[in-house]
């Protein structure tokens, strides 16, 4: 599909799948993804801010603020050091009405809340939205929560590896706390963010490149997030460069990017949102041509309805797992709103005037 059509279609898919409550559904046609994730939604809201659809991003952030403030008692309990039940606090995904899901899930994930603070900061910058008392309260709660828990192992952004400290997750917390300070014009987390950066440098680097999690030498495409949006290191810094070189040489196959080499979810295919993420890196690194090639490739992957799936079964890591997942949950999620959002973000980089 050509860029113009896919760009418009992507906006359409996002708007049509935003619930009246303000929540964005991760994927309408995939039952396990009939929820709103803070992670996915924060990127989706940012894409709406970029295209100046402030109504959409405003509704999402209001939904998020309400849902956080509603949980104030639990969050404060946790912030006061009562850690017994910390897994019960702040689920990673919610029903569209803001309630927690009934079925069990890998709920303890911290990255989405860090990314949400960043997305909210961008929203305020781009839309000029006033920071109300309610927003301020939600920002204080989430940043307090993250600053208390950043050293706790939790699931990664792929909802795996419960007992590890993940570099992408930490970069999101870093960026989230910086965003909180900017939003509230304070300096509360200056110390914590330096500690996080120091921790990443001391524990998250193997042979000059960032690694998936402490002590694990594998590379993971989510590390692109350390650059955008988290900006922990400038893109000229050797560490970021070496990380992206590894991502590119080990995980970029058949035109698209894998999550990580051992991934077996749906056989471990190539992901649209990650490939767009690499395109964003290329663009920021002064290589718009490579970014454009990625945009073209995504256009080829779109189906006749202009839908972008989560992943495609090209160059699978382990094809024996594809039929197993197809039998369990049906075809890979399509359309995935996060895929469309990352396409819009990349498109906006290349064609800011459209
Ligand atoms: C991914 C998560 C994502 C969720 C909803 C999962 O398969 O691992 O990163 O938030 O799908 O899109």
């Amino acid at each position: 599909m050509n860029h113009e059509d896919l760009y418009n279609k992507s906006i359409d898919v996002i708007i049509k799948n935003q619930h009246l409550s303000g929540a964005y559904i991760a994927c309408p046609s995939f039952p396990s993804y009939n929820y709103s994730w803070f992670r996915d939604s924060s990127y989706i809201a940012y894409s709406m801010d970029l295209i100046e659809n402030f109504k959409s991003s405003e509704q999402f952030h209001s939904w998020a603020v309400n849902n956080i403030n509603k949980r104030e008692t639990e969050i404060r309990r946790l912030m006061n050091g009562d850690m017994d039940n910390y897994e019960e606090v702040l689920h990673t995904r919610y029903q569209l009405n803001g309630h927690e899901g009934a079925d069990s899930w890998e709920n303890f994930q911290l990255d989405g809340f860090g990314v949400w603070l960043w997305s909210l900061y961008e929203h305020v910058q781009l839309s000029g939205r006033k920071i109300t008392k309610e927003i301020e309260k939600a920002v204080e709660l989430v940043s307090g929560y993250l600053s208390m828990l950043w050293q706790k192992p939790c699931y990664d952004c792929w909802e795996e590896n419960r007992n590890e400290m993940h570099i992408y997750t930490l970069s999101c917390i870093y960026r989230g706390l910086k965003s909180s300070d900017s939003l509230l014009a304070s300096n509360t987390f200056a110390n914590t963010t330096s500690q996080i950066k120091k921790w990443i440098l001391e524990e998250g680097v193997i042979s000059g490149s960032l690694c998936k999690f402490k002590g694990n030498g594998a590379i993971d495409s989510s590390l692109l997030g350390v650059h955008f949006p988290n900006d922990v290191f400038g893109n000229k810094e050797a560490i970021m460069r070496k990380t992206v070189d590894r991502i590119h040489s080990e995980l970029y196959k058949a035109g698209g990017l894998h999550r990580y080499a051992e991934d077996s979810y749906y056989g471990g295919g190539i992901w649209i949102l990650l490939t767009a993420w690499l395109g964003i890196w290329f663009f920021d690194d002064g290589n718009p041509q490579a970014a454009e090639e990625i945009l073209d490739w995504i256009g080829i992957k779109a189906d006749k309805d202009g839908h972008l799936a989560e992943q495609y079964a090209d160059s699978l890591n382990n094809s024996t797992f594809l039929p197993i997942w197809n039998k369990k949950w049906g075809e890979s999620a399509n359309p995935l709103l996060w895929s469309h959002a990352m396409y819009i973000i990349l498109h906006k980089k290349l064609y800011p005037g459209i």
Side-chain angles (χ1 to χ4, degrees), residues 26 33 37 39-40 157-159 259 265 271 310 336 338:
Y33 291 6
W37 268 258
R39 172 177 41 250
D40 301 35
C157 63
W158 310 134
E159 321 201 295
R259 297 196 295 185
Y265 182 51
W271 284 50
E310 177 182 72
L336 187 84
W338 190 10

Side-chain angles (χ1 to χ4, degrees), residues 46 49 117-127 175 183:
Y46 176 63
D49 276 323
L117 289 169
W118 158 77
S119 177
L120 178 64
Y121 169 76
E122 292 292 340
H123 172 60
V124 166
Q125 294 303 303
L126 293 165
S127 70
R175 182 63 168 172
L183 280 161

